[in-house]
Amino acid sequence: MPSKKGFLDLLLEHRFDVVCIQETKASQDKLPREVKNIPGYYNYFVSAEQNGYSGVGTFSKKKPLNIEKGMGSEIFDREGRFLRTDYEDFVLMNIYFPNGKAPRNAWTTKWHFMMLFRLRKRPQRRRQKKLVICGDVNTAHKEIDLARPKQNETISGFLPEEREWMDKFLAAGYLDTFRMFNNESGNYSWWSMRTQARERNVGWRLDYFFVSENLREYVNSALIYPEITGSDHCPVGLELEF
């Protein structure tokens, strides 16, 4: 659980304005009391019907103006993959994309989710909403975003179809905030725990903060924190100034 891996200490030390977590793997009633009652934070969770699977949560210093749990899809909403919180200056979408590697039908499930998400965000763009989209996308966009691109060209997470989806998503008016500041290789947010990949930095960049183009001028920085451990992922961050 997050409380056993330094999550509370991290949050209380840095006092981030908003924190989004994915793959909570617990229903809200099974989360530790200290996680649900962090001083100075409102918290919101979407859980999967299947315990020990999926789930997302958002912690916020400010109370959102509006909250939406789910994408309007019975299949994916049962898996707890989407949580939206609206604030005065922007709309935040906290998302956990399916992993397309396993089981047998995982790739089809992931692709359906990607297509549904594209449809889900269109009305917000038409209304000129300022959107921040964050989460585990389970896809590395370009060769620079994983340590071994050639060996993974036929693996879900770096398939041509997934990378093309990312191309089209960004072309529709979104920015990969980390690449606004850093175009160097070796910057990853996930490493396999089975092969000591983190020690060798053989990783993938699967976690993102995207913003709509109308937020470009408010983006101050975007970072990856590989020094923060406790998971096979590390945190990524975004600083906006209004």
Side-chain angles (χ1 to χ4, degrees), residues 16 42 221-222 242:
F16 299 111
Y42 297 94
S221 66
F242 295 94

Side-chain angles (χ1 to χ4, degrees), residues 140-219:
H141 183 203
K142 297 183 179 296
E143 290 190 357
I144 195 175
D145 293 315
L146 71 166
R148 295 176 176 172
K150 296 303 180 184
Q151 295 93 320
N152 288 284
E153 289 178 341
T154 60
I155 302 297
S156 179
F158 198 58
L159 292 174
E161 298 94 327
E162 295 166 322
R163 299 172 64 195
E164 183 181 4
W165 180 92
M166 191 83 82
D167 289 336
K168 291 179 178 179
F169 168 70
L170 294 172
Y174 294 90
L175 305 169
D176 178 349
T177 58
F178 182 75
R179 291 304 180 201
M180 292 172 66
F181 301 94
N182 188 317
N183 286 305
E184 298 177 356
S185 61
N187 293 286
Y188 311 125
S189 65
W190 178 85
W191 304 262
S192 171
M193 298 182 73
R194 293 175 293 181
T195 60
Q196 295 184 317
R198 192 162 189 163
E199 289 77 3
R200 297 178 290 120
N201 199 30
V202 180
W204 299 54
R205 190 169 73 100
L206 302 179
D207 305 271
Y208 298 82
F209 269 102
F210 301 111
V211 298
S212 51
E213 179 66 43
N214 56 6
L215 273 173
R216 178 189 289 269
E217 64 181 292
Y218 304 100
V219 178

Side-chain angles (χ1 to χ4, degrees), residues 49 72-79:
E49 289 183 0
S73 162
E74 182 179 355
I75 295 174
F76 293 119
D77 290 350
R78 288 202 303 261
E79 297 182 345

Side-chain angles (χ1 to χ4, degrees), residues 19-229:
V19 173
C20 298
I21 56 176
Q22 298 86 39
E23 205 171 1
T24 57
K25 293 187 176 182
S27 60
Q28 188 168 351
D29 63 323
K30 288 182 171 61
L31 289 169
R33 182 180 301 175
E34 60 268 28
V35 172
K36 295 186 290 184
N37 295 280
I38 300 176
Y41 285 91
Y42 297 94
N43 61 74
Y44 307 93
F45 300 95
V46 176
S47 303
E49 289 183 0
Q50 177 184 339
N51 196 39
Y53 181 72
S54 194
V56 297
T58 299
F59 298 81
S60 174
K61 286 184 178 179
K62 289 187 177 181
K63 187 175 183 179
L65 303 175
N66 180 58
I67 303 160
E68 288 187 16
K69 298 182 177 182
M71 303 172 67
S73 162
E74 182 179 355
I75 295 174
F76 293 119
D77 290 350
R78 288 202 303 261
E79 297 182 345
R81 295 187 177 276
F82 182 93
L83 176 59
R84 168 181 162 172
T85 47
D86 296 11
Y87 302 91
E88 183 178 354
D89 295 312
F90 60 90
V91 171
L92 173 64
M93 295 182 179
N94 178 3
I95 308 176
Y96 176 44
F97 280 64
N99 186 322
K101 294 178 182 177
R104 184 176 178 181
N105 63 343
W107 158 244
T108 301
T109 300
K110 179 180 180 180
W111 188 247
H112 286 167
F113 184 91
M114 295 170 86
M115 294 299 101
L116 178 63
F117 172 68
R118 181 181 294 175
L119 293 173
R120 180 68 174 77
K121 65 179 177 54
R122 282 179 182 172
Q124 314 307 319
R125 294 293 293 127
R126 287 197 294 267
R127 298 187 191 109
Q128 298 298 306
K129 294 282 188 179
K130 293 182 172 68
L131 299 181
V132 177
I133 300 168
C134 79
D136 178 0
V137 182
N138 264 313
T139 298
H141 183 203
K142 297 183 179 296
E143 290 190 357
I144 195 175
D145 293 315
L146 71 166
R148 295 176 176 172
K150 296 303 180 184
Q151 295 93 320
N152 288 284
E153 289 178 341
T154 60
I155 302 297
S156 179
F158 198 58
L159 292 174
E161 298 94 327
E162 295 166 322
R163 299 172 64 195
E164 183 181 4
W165 180 92
M166 191 83 82
D167 289 336
K168 291 179 178 179
F169 168 70
L170 294 172
Y174 294 90
L175 305 169
D176 178 349
T177 58
F178 182 75
R179 291 304 180 201
M180 292 172 66
F181 301 94
N182 188 317
N183 286 305
E184 298 177 356
S185 61
N187 293 286
Y188 311 125
S189 65
W190 178 85
W191 304 262
S192 171
M193 298 182 73
R194 293 175 293 181
T195 60
Q196 295 184 317
R198 192 162 189 163
E199 289 77 3
R200 297 178 290 120
N201 199 30
V202 180
W204 299 54
R205 190 169 73 100
L206 302 179
D207 305 271
Y208 298 82
F209 269 102
F210 301 111
V211 298
S212 51
E213 179 66 43
N214 56 6
L215 273 173
R216 178 189 289 269
E217 64 181 292
Y218 304 100
V219 178
N220 270 4
S221 66
L223 301 166
I224 298 176
Y225 301 94
E227 71 279 4
I228 298 178
T229 58

